[in-house]
Amino acid sequence: MVASRRFFVIGNWKMNVDTATINNIIDTMTDASLDPHTEVVVGCPSCYLSYARQQLPSRIGVAAQNCYKVDRGNFSGEISPAMIKDCGCEWVILGHPERRTIFSESDDLIHQKVTHALDAGMKVVACVVETQKDKQTGCTEETLFAQLKALAAAITDWSRVVLAFEALWASGTGVLATPAEVQEVLAKLRQWLRQNVSNTVANTTRIIYAGSVSSTNCQELATLKDLDGFLVGSAALKPDIVHIINARTTHVSRLASYFNSLRTDDRSA
Ligand code: PGA
């Protein structure tokens, strides 16, 4: 990670919360000491956007989990960036793996949504996904680059975009991606940005990882060279989210105490 890329953790509540659970999660997050160097956002169901925004401190951002590609109109069931902003929220997750796979959202639709959300002034967590099939058939690079190409063509302001890579085969399956597997993909995505967008965008865009991130694996993943944070699903509903937000702090403070102990050893030798 270079200094200009602030560590970013988004806890995506998906369709797993109600007012009582939201209150619990907010209490856990506000009672804890959160690393001030981490940018923290929660992904909230649309019906609770205003509520979550009102209850959370301003340093925690609130994201919608999806939005449509125009401001208003006869699109029953959809919400627009204008509505999300009207609820006081500035982030939206687009191209989430569940939107792509369960709701068959195409690269083209996601491209249009990203274009409109950015035009409307929003910040976007734009997702690319590797499925089990991609992994098994060796199509990972091809699939991810096609998704990234469609996203990149929509992005006019990279400073308002966080790129999320999800290993869907590692989400809730009991199979975890190894740090080496995660680093390999993140490095390829960054290299793609370098070759197809610009050096600056490759150096400054935050690329985060999703796929069963937990309090157990976050610290090791947080040390990866090309990783700038996490998109967290199931662990975002539990106190684990605090450890994940603090993954870098804990790592840095452990390193500091290790080096301090070496110095103490030197002095006493
Ligand atoms: P997970 O979900 O952490 O439960 O794997 C991540 C996501 O899909 O947002």
Side-chain angles (χ1 to χ4, degrees), residues 215-260:
S215 55
T216 316
N217 62 9
C218 66
Q219 276 176 32
E220 193 177 0
L221 290 169
T223 64
L224 295 176
K225 180 171 170 281
D226 284 294
L227 182 137
D228 305 303
F230 301 111
L231 167 63
V232 187
S234 54
L237 305 170
K238 300 185 271 191
D240 288 49
I241 191 64
V242 171
H243 297 280
I244 298 169
I245 290 166
N246 293 339
R248 274 262 162 84
T249 341
T250 322
H251 175 71
V252 169
S253 55
R254 277 198 184 164
L255 273 182
S257 41
Y258 171 70
F259 285 119
N260 280 340

Side-chain angles (χ1 to χ4, degrees), residues 10-14 93 96-98 127 166-168 170-173 209-214 231-236:
I10 174 163
N12 182 15
W13 297 341
K14 307 193 179 185
I93 304 171
H96 187 276
E98 285 146 19
C127 308
E166 176 151 343
L168 192 56
S171 176
T173 56
Y209 170 69
S212 294
V213 175
S214 69
L231 167 63
V232 187
S234 54

